[in-house]
Amino acid sequence: MSKTVSFMTKNFGKYDIHSIDSYESIGGFDALRRAVTMTGFEIADRIAECGVKGRGGAAYDMGRKWHQAREIDQKEKVVVCNADEGEPCTFKDRALIENDPFRLIEAMIIAGYSIGAQNGYLYMREEYSHLRPLLLNAIAQAEEKGYLGKNILGVEGFDYQIHLQSGAGAYVCGEGTALVESIEGKSGRPRKKPPFIKQCGLFNLPTCVQNVESLCLVPSILLDDEKVYLTYGTEKSPGTKMISVGGNVKQPGAFEIPFGITLREIIYELAGGVSGNQDIRLIQLGGASGKVCGPDKLDTPYTYEDLAQAGLTVGSGAILVVDTRTSVMDFLRTTQAFFSHESCGQCTPCRGGNKQMKYLLEKVASGTHTAEDIKTMNKVIMIMQQASLCGLGESAENALCSAMKVFPEVFAVKEEIE
């Protein structure tokens, strides 16, 4: 099995990313021309046939999502592209924007046509501000060429505009409802549900939120008459995935891989192995909110089902490698400090839970914790997972919870050892 593929990344290095004419010369906007000959439901069905799950972390069936969005009978709808990408060690969306900006714009237009939206909002994290000129140029040239505006490609009533919005650097704005609050000019804090965003989202309109990678798959899928996409991956995890590998590796980077290659192949072949030829202490998948495993899981295939069986998740597509120069407890304390800082403070389980967990981890690190402290940690984890308002609080303790199972010796109480 080839270690990398070029399905959604086939345009990388093939055209001038500042020129729409250059993009058109390699087939740019052919997918949009194909899309307007289809109905929105047909486009959704095409995505569903390929078994695409959302690449933002939740892994929701993308074809089903677009089908549901199209079914909503309302005159005005909105598409939101989530380019916040605030999950630590996650930078695969950035690679897609940097190397193929026009593909993202084309994909957003296709999404607008498919669900019947009139406006698309591209929400980009503050740390990617250097990419604003690139995207603003792509939007402006698309409008000049008639791919944005009124009656696009001569289709009566297909009116669509794209707006670029920048966040202020808040991790919580990667959550859909916090993101739309931020676009509306409010503090980026999650909304209570219901109503759900697909029915009442941005400006109280039905809203379809997709991340960059999910959208960038669409143009290639619509033009994939030979069903090449389905030749990659496995039966239950078909196709390809963009991943970002970082931490203690020799060649960190973003790669498009077929589902099914192992973690060992990703780390030791694509990423060049562990820096300094050190041994691996742990691997975290899916960003700071992802679970961790030890090196004994290196031969696990990178698929939804195999990772789930190993107690792991695909999540955001991040793979963080931590070698033996860092202790498990130092890693967990750093992760906990991140979530304590990024909690928006709106709900008590997350606000208080992260603060309490930070305190308890300090006790474990100093070796002064008791069996009662461990019971309290498990209780706080349960409360946060079940009662937090959004995914930040629900997943903030994933690394800790999994580490307690993988590295029980780290949490052993001294009096029990004695």
Side-chain angles (χ1 to χ4, degrees):
M1 181 185 294
S2 176
K3 303 301 186 294
T4 61
V5 293
S6 298
F7 185 78
M8 77 184 92
T9 57
K10 66 177 183 178
N11 293 340
F12 282 23
K14 300 290 180 61
Y15 75 98
D16 178 359
I17 59 174
H18 302 285
S19 168
I20 195 169
D21 292 331
S22 180
Y23 180 63
E24 288 178 318
S25 71
I26 61 166
F29 292 100
D30 284 353
L32 176 59
R33 292 186 177 87
R34 171 73 64 85
V36 298
T37 67
M38 306 165 69
T39 68
F41 290 119
E42 288 172 339
I43 295 172
D45 289 342
R46 186 71 173 267
I47 296 170
E49 287 171 8
C50 292
V52 179
K53 297 181 180 180
R55 305 301 203 229
Y60 188 80
D61 186 286
M62 188 173 167
R64 182 181 180 188
K65 189 175 192 176
W66 283 29
H67 202 281
Q68 291 171 335
R70 182 69 187 192
E71 281 181 329
I72 296 174
D73 186 15
Q74 192 160 324
K75 186 177 180 181
E76 291 187 61
K77 300 178 188 177
V78 179
V79 169
V80 172
C81 172
N82 185 348
D84 188 67
E85 198 170 42
E87 197 70 63
C89 194
T90 309
F91 46 89
K92 42 90 176 177
D93 287 351
R94 184 185 71 194
L96 288 165
I97 296 171
E98 288 175 333
N99 292 282
D100 203 355
F102 284 103
R103 169 183 284 263
L104 177 57
I105 299 307
E106 180 179 11
M108 287 189 67
I109 300 169
I110 293 170
Y113 172 80
S114 179
I115 75 163
Q118 295 72 42
N119 288 281
Y121 288 81
L122 205 171
Y123 184 88
M124 189 166 62
R125 67 180 305 195
E126 188 274 336
E127 291 84 352
Y128 291 173
S129 58
H130 65 288
L131 296 175
R132 281 184 61 85
L134 183 66
L135 288 170
L136 287 172
N137 172 70
I139 293 168
Q141 290 193 36
E143 190 166 1
E144 289 173 7
K145 283 278 190 174
Y147 295 119
L148 290 170
K150 292 186 176 296
N151 301 324
I152 297 170
L153 293 180
V155 179
E156 187 70 27
F158 180 24
D159 306 335
Y160 190 73
Q161 293 288 350
I162 293 178
H163 315 270
L164 179 61
Q165 300 283 333
S166 288
Y171 169 79
V172 74
C173 286
E175 194 274 341
T177 61
L179 185 156
V180 300
E181 287 282 293
S182 179
I183 294 177
E184 291 178 359
K186 304 170 188 173
S187 177
R189 290 182 169 181
R191 295 176 180 175
K192 294 179 181 178
K193 309 175 194 66
F196 295 100
I197 196 169
K198 63 183 178 182
Q199 294 142 345
C200 183
L202 184 61
F203 306 127
N204 295 323
L205 298 173
T207 302
C208 181
V209 181
Q210 295 284 180
N211 92 312
V212 172
E213 183 189 347
S214 303
L215 287 165
C216 285
L217 265 173
V218 174
S220 290
I221 285 176
L222 290 187
L223 296 176
D224 186 23
D225 295 330
E226 303 299 319
K227 301 294 178 68
V228 173
Y229 182 78
L230 293 175
T231 66
Y232 300 120
T234 66
E235 181 180 354
K236 294 183 179 179
S237 295
T240 71
K241 176 80 182 75
M242 283 289 289
I243 60 170
S244 48
V245 188
N248 300 131
V249 291
K250 295 177 182 178
Q251 299 168 15
F255 310 94
E256 184 180 6
I257 63 166
F259 279 111
I261 71 172
T262 65
L263 294 177
R264 186 184 301 277
E265 291 172 311
I266 291 170
I267 294 169
Y268 285 96
E269 296 185 40
L270 298 185
V274 182
S275 55
N277 296 319
Q278 298 286 323
D279 292 329
I280 293 175
R281 172 84 70 191
L282 62 86
I283 307 164
Q284 184 179 40
L285 275 74
S289 62
K291 298 178 180 180
V292 304
C293 68
D296 58 307
K297 302 296 183 183
L298 278 170
D299 293 313
T300 303
Y302 193 88
T303 67
Y304 289 105
E305 62 275 13
D306 288 299
L307 290 177
Q309 189 173 358
L312 302 166
T313 59
V314 170
S316 66
I319 299 176
L320 175 67
V321 179
V322 179
D323 68 32
T324 50
R325 290 172 291 185
T326 300
S327 71
V328 173
M329 189 49 59
D330 283 346
F331 167 78
L332 292 174
R333 289 168 70 192
T334 300
T335 302
Q336 190 59 56
F338 170 79
F339 283 111
S340 296
H341 178 267
E342 292 295 341
S343 173
C344 76
Q346 184 175 1
C347 71
T348 302
C350 181
R351 180 182 67 245
N354 275 303
K355 183 177 180 180
Q356 182 71 6
M357 203 61 74
K358 187 177 179 181
Y359 164 73
L360 289 169
L361 281 176
E362 293 293 337
K363 291 191 69 176
V364 176
S366 65
T368 59
H369 63 294
T370 65
E372 193 61 33
D373 288 327
I374 299 300
K375 288 181 182 179
T376 300
M377 289 177 73
N378 284 311
K379 184 176 181 180
V380 173
I381 289 172
M382 181 270 292
I383 293 172
M384 291 181 67
Q385 290 176 338
Q386 295 187 13
S388 293
L389 183 60
C390 82
L392 191 157
E394 292 170 351
S395 61
E397 305 309 328
N398 278 345
L400 172 59
C401 192
S402 55
M404 292 175 77
K405 298 175 182 177
V406 178
F407 307 102
E409 68 279 3
V410 174
F411 301 89
V413 179
K414 279 187 176 181
E415 56 202 49
E416 292 178 349
I417 297 175
E418 296 169 359

